[in-house]
Amino acid sequence: MVLSTAKCLPAGLHVYQTLDGDDLTLCEIEIADEEDIFVWNGVEVGGIQIPTGSDCEPLLLNVLHLATSSEGEKCQQLTESPQVFPSNAEVGSVFTALAIPVGAIFLSSTECTNEGWTAIPQEDWRKTFREQGLTNGSFVLIQDSSNSNNSLLTKQGEWITTVNETNWIQVKNLCQSESEEELVKIPATANTVVFDIRIKAIKELKLMKELAENSCLRPIDRDGKLLCPVPDHCTLKETELRIESSLGLCPGKAPTSSQLFLFFAVGSHIQPGTEMEIIVEETITVRDCLKIMLEKLGLPGDSWHLRKTDWCYEAGEPLHEEDATLKELMIYSGDTLLLIEGKLPPPGFLKVPIWWYQPHGCAGPWRSHQDQTNGPPPQGGVWGASATQGAPGDTYAEASLSYLGDIEISDDATLAELKSQAMTLPSVSEFFIPSPAFLRAWTVESKRPSRLLRINQQQLREYKLGRRTEICLEPLQKEENLGPQDVLLRIQRRLPGERAYGPPVDLVWDTALGWTASTLQRRVADCCSLPVEKIEIAKYFPEKFEWLPVSSWSQQTTKRKKKKKQENLQGAPYYLKDGDTIGIKNLLVEDDGDFSTDRDDAGKEKQKQLALGGRKSQEVLRGQSSSVVSGAELPGRPQRPEASLSIHVGSFR
């Protein structure tokens, strides 16, 4: 067995030097952090001998040559294909690799542009790719000897994409329905100016000459949606339009360099094709832009705000800085803004929706209300249903959350002040709450309590709630003051002889002595007045309908030191946190290892059927899509224009 260093290159994994010296440390052989190690026999992989070392690093090159038809004849269209060559291979080896007769080779170290192509003399074909200065992504143009009289390069070395220059842009008439022509193809290259394409399209479509001063070209995406107009002065390359793209000739001028073309719609859910369009100056403020959009929609009032759409084409973060310009907030042409009802809170304030949480199936004066798709339900609305006796996990999986209203509060306020302000809501007056200490606060995620907010005197800013956080309040029978090391769990005792559990009971566990299974078992045993050796406990995972018995374990980190890693229930596989359900089994009356209930069996079966149905529906959709003729329109989610995305991942070691 041989160990070698390796690197992931654009062409794939490449093996470098072999690690020799069994007595040397990793530092002594200069192994860097996060380096890849390749384990093999040192000669071959899968029966194929593998070259190693930096001399033969693979290069990923873009090779262009004339396409070959099915009859074996040369077409007039260039084809581009990625090819991998060793960096120490001779340049002339490209003919052998592509099975092309010996002809001419042109190299370019940059992308396929009008300049930068260099012809390689035949005497230099024996030089390597590295000696010619090629790197990953370089372009190689191959021309066989049969096309020497019809060169793909002019004498000046300018790039021509095809022999007969047959590339084109498709322009669709969207200006006048009475025109004789609806669609024309305009010959174009990467350097063709958009203005020239537009004027030529107007002539070939036989439209009025006046449109030359009041029309624009707009790209059409694969769903048929018109995108942002392209400027007249730009080339196709500058607009990032591909050859053979489809453009719509539309009435109206394209935005200038200081203007923005924006889509906008009302509400958080956008239906394809319902967006409106507007052209505004990039120096306009968010407040003024909102006013213009409201006037165009004919909506009264000032209780509105703007939100950008995220990558899922859904409502993103609101534009809080209403006095900032669109340019300062990095709003670009083609962006979609949503008008959402509701005035934003002042800077430094949070607008927090407040819910009433009723655990243990407690009855309340709340009417049943269907879930609202646009934001929280109105006052008195309910999410979920009351817990079912004997069904573990219902405390949170189907918790009853009743909407009370919204409060505006400074992020400098404390949690106790938030509770006090929430108690002033009209709906809370129906309950008798002696003081804020009789309320327990949770954040709400996925329509259920999520994170426990435990310290009453801590500022909301320190909780890092965010502008979209919702809070639910749980009434208590007595005052509660949880410490930073206290964990709140819901324990349920299994009913003897039944596959069911008793009602949940709150258990406060002090983790000062550690997050270990033994300390948790002792705390649960004390609460149930049972010997610790006569109980068995398990954590419930409601999303999987599964129970995981909690037991002590040990792990070894190294074979040399035999050092045991301290167990911690916060980590895998338990991930214990506030609000988790712990099932308790009394071994004095039953000693089997089954914690599940009939509800768990039914839930697993339902999940299995849903997964099976999902696979079947995907197969049906694939079958339907394969039989649909080209050009048929399928309903789909609106697609965002493609854009570059940079992702930076920090190191947390």
Side-chain angles (χ1 to χ4, degrees):
M1 196 66 68
V2 176
L3 300 180
S4 302
T5 58
K7 288 184 181 178
C8 285
L9 303 176
L13 187 72
H14 182 64
V15 180
Y16 288 84
Q17 70 180 70
T18 301
L19 302 181
D20 297 322
D22 294 340
D23 298 331
L24 299 178
T25 64
L26 296 179
C27 292
E28 290 172 338
I29 58 177
E30 298 181 351
I31 295 297
D33 189 24
E34 299 184 357
E35 186 141 14
D36 293 325
I37 303 297
F38 190 66
V39 183
W40 62 320
N41 61 9
V43 179
E44 60 183 16
V45 175
I48 301 176
Q49 189 171 355
I50 303 298
T52 62
S54 57
D55 292 340
C56 57
E57 280 184 353
L59 293 177
L60 182 62
L61 305 177
N62 299 303
V63 180
L64 300 102
H65 60 91
L66 285 178
T68 304
S69 66
S70 57
E71 291 79 15
E73 298 179 355
K74 294 290 182 180
C75 302
Q76 298 300 305
Q77 181 70 38
L78 278 175
T79 180
E80 177 181 337
S81 62
Q83 300 287 338
V84 178
F85 296 91
S87 56
N88 58 356
E90 296 179 357
V91 173
S93 62
V94 296
F95 295 111
T96 306
L98 297 175
I100 294 178
V102 176
I105 303 176
F106 302 88
L107 304 180
S108 175
S109 58
T110 58
E111 65 179 16
C112 180
T113 60
N114 284 359
E115 300 177 356
W117 290 95
T118 304
I120 304 300
Q122 191 167 356
E123 57 268 19
D124 291 340
W125 287 1
R126 300 189 65 85
K127 291 185 178 181
T128 65
F129 289 100
R130 176 168 290 170
E131 290 172 340
Q132 293 289 353
L134 293 185
T135 59
N136 288 300
S138 296
F139 286 80
V140 179
L141 171 64
I142 304 299
Q143 180 179 329
D144 61 36
S145 56
S146 62
N147 283 299
S148 58
N149 296 328
N150 195 8
S151 178
L152 300 180
L153 292 174
T154 64
K155 294 180 180 180
Q156 291 76 22
E158 292 183 351
W159 174 241
I160 300 175
T161 54
T162 61
V163 175
N164 294 327
E165 298 187 6
T166 55
N167 287 331
W168 47 266
I169 288 289
Q170 182 174 271
V171 179
K172 186 175 182 181
N173 175 25
L174 299 177
C175 286
Q176 297 176 358
S177 58
E178 64 272 10
S179 173
E180 298 179 2
E181 302 289 339
E182 292 295 330
L183 198 69
V184 293
K185 291 184 177 181
I186 307 298
T189 65
N191 285 333
T192 304
V193 180
V194 173
F195 175 79
D196 296 336
I197 296 177
R198 185 168 63 86
I199 297 301
K200 193 168 185 179
I202 292 174
K203 292 179 180 178
E204 295 196 10
L205 288 170
K206 301 177 182 179
L207 300 176
M208 295 185 300
K209 295 182 179 180
E210 289 78 4
L211 286 175
E213 301 296 329
N214 190 32
S215 63
C216 62
L217 291 177
R218 299 178 59 178
I220 304 174
D221 69 4
R222 55 188 174 185
D223 293 323
K225 177 182 176 180
L226 289 171
L227 304 181
C228 176
V230 289
D232 275 346
H233 64 275
C234 294
T235 64
L236 293 181
K237 179 184 175 183
E238 291 171 340
T239 59
E240 299 182 357
L241 286 173
R242 295 181 178 273
I243 295 298
E244 301 182 5
S245 296
S246 294
L247 299 177
L249 180 65
C250 304
K253 294 183 178 181
T256 65
S257 58
S258 63
Q259 292 179 326
L260 299 177
F261 182 94
L262 303 175
F263 298 97
F264 67 99
V266 179
S268 57
H269 296 275
I270 312 174
Q271 296 298 326
T274 61
E275 306 97 328
M276 298 187 69
E277 303 163 356
I278 192 172
I279 296 178
V280 295
E281 296 292 332
E282 62 181 2
T283 55
I284 194 174
T285 64
V286 173
R287 180 178 286 105
D288 292 338
C289 181
L290 175 61
K291 289 180 180 178
I292 295 174
M293 292 179 177
L294 289 174
E295 290 175 0
K296 192 167 185 179
L297 289 168
L299 294 175
D302 57 354
S303 59
W304 296 85
H305 66 274
L306 289 177
R307 290 178 183 262
K308 289 185 65 176
T309 52
D310 57 18
W311 285 97
C312 297
Y313 217 65
E314 297 173 350
E317 288 296 323
L319 304 180
H320 287 276
E321 302 176 35
E322 295 185 327
D323 293 325
T325 65
L326 299 182
K327 183 178 181 179
E328 292 171 344
L329 296 181
M330 293 186 290
I331 305 296
Y332 302 106
S333 283
D335 284 350
T336 301
L337 300 181
L338 301 180
L339 284 80
I340 307 297
E341 193 168 8
K343 196 172 181 63
L344 292 174
F349 279 74
L350 299 173
K351 186 175 182 179
V352 184
I354 302 297
W355 297 82
W356 188 258
Y357 171 48
Q358 303 174 23
H360 319 323
C362 296
W366 309 99
R367 295 184 295 107
S368 176
H369 194 285
Q370 292 182 350
D371 183 20
Q372 303 293 313
T373 56
N374 294 324
Q379 234 166 327
V382 175
W383 269 348
S386 59
T388 305
Q389 185 175 3
D394 284 355
T395 304
Y396 284 90
E398 298 178 3
S400 177
L401 291 175
S402 305
Y403 179 63
L404 300 177
D406 295 342
I407 63 172
E408 283 191 11
I409 189 169
S410 170
D411 55 8
D412 291 327
T414 63
L415 178 62
E417 292 172 334
L418 181 143
K419 294 179 181 179
S420 299
Q421 188 169 338
M423 290 174 60
T424 62
L425 293 172
S427 301
V428 183
S429 61
E430 302 179 22
F431 300 94
F432 175 71
I433 307 297
S435 70
F438 284 80
L439 290 174
R440 183 184 290 157
W442 303 80
T443 61
V444 177
E445 294 181 11
S446 302
K447 303 179 183 179
R448 67 177 65 177
S450 175
R451 179 164 62 105
L452 177 62
L453 309 179
R454 60 182 69 246
I455 304 176
N456 283 324
Q457 300 308 316
Q458 186 168 323
Q459 288 183 328
L460 300 180
R461 183 196 307 274
E462 298 175 6
Y463 282 111
K464 299 180 180 179
L465 297 179
R467 299 185 182 275
R468 289 189 175 186
T469 302
E470 301 181 16
I471 301 293
C472 68
L473 301 177
E474 175 187 352
L476 302 174
Q477 298 297 323
K478 59 181 180 179
E479 292 188 12
E480 180 177 76
N481 188 15
L482 297 177
Q485 293 184 322
D486 291 335
V487 178
L488 177 67
L489 302 174
R490 312 281 189 179
I491 61 173
Q492 292 183 264
R493 297 184 64 168
R494 191 172 178 88
L495 302 178
E498 301 181 29
R499 299 189 70 204
Y501 289 83
V505 177
D506 291 348
L507 172 70
V508 178
W509 173 35
D510 185 2
T511 60
L513 299 178
W515 284 76
T516 62
S518 57
T519 56
L520 177 59
Q521 286 174 329
R522 284 196 296 268
R523 179 68 184 94
V524 173
D526 292 341
C527 181
C528 299
S529 301
L530 291 171
V532 67
E533 66 275 5
K534 294 301 180 182
I535 67 168
E536 188 175 357
I537 60 177
K539 180 192 168 179
Y540 186 60
F541 291 88
E543 66 279 358
K544 299 180 180 179
F545 299 97
E546 292 180 354
W547 294 88
L548 181 61
V550 179
S551 59
S552 299
W553 80 98
S554 62
Q555 294 178 336
Q556 294 179 354
T557 57
T558 62
K559 292 184 178 180
R560 293 180 180 178
K561 298 182 180 180
K562 301 290 183 181
K563 183 179 179 181
K564 294 182 179 179
K565 183 179 179 181
Q566 185 179 6
E567 62 180 271
N568 191 328
L569 296 181
Q570 283 182 297
Y574 298 102
Y575 303 105
L576 200 64
K577 63 183 184 304
D578 290 308
D580 281 347
T581 298
I582 301 294
I584 308 167
K585 182 176 290 188
N586 186 352
L587 300 181
L588 294 174
V589 294
E590 56 178 341
D591 57 356
D592 63 317
D594 182 28
F595 278 88
S596 62
T597 65
D598 294 335
R599 176 180 179 273
D600 298 330
D601 295 341
K604 288 183 179 179
E605 183 63 26
K606 184 177 180 180
Q607 287 183 338
K608 182 179 178 180
Q609 295 298 329
L610 289 174
L612 184 61
R615 286 195 294 268
K616 288 183 178 179
S617 62
Q618 289 178 358
E619 293 174 0
V620 172
L621 287 175
R622 281 196 294 267
Q624 291 176 346
S625 61
S626 63
S627 61
V628 173
V629 296
S630 60
E633 297 184 359
L634 291 177
R637 190 174 191 144
Q639 299 289 332
R640 298 292 307 264
E642 292 185 1
S644 60
L645 178 64
S646 299
I647 301 177
H648 302 278
V649 181
S651 177
F652 298 96
R653 296 189 174 183

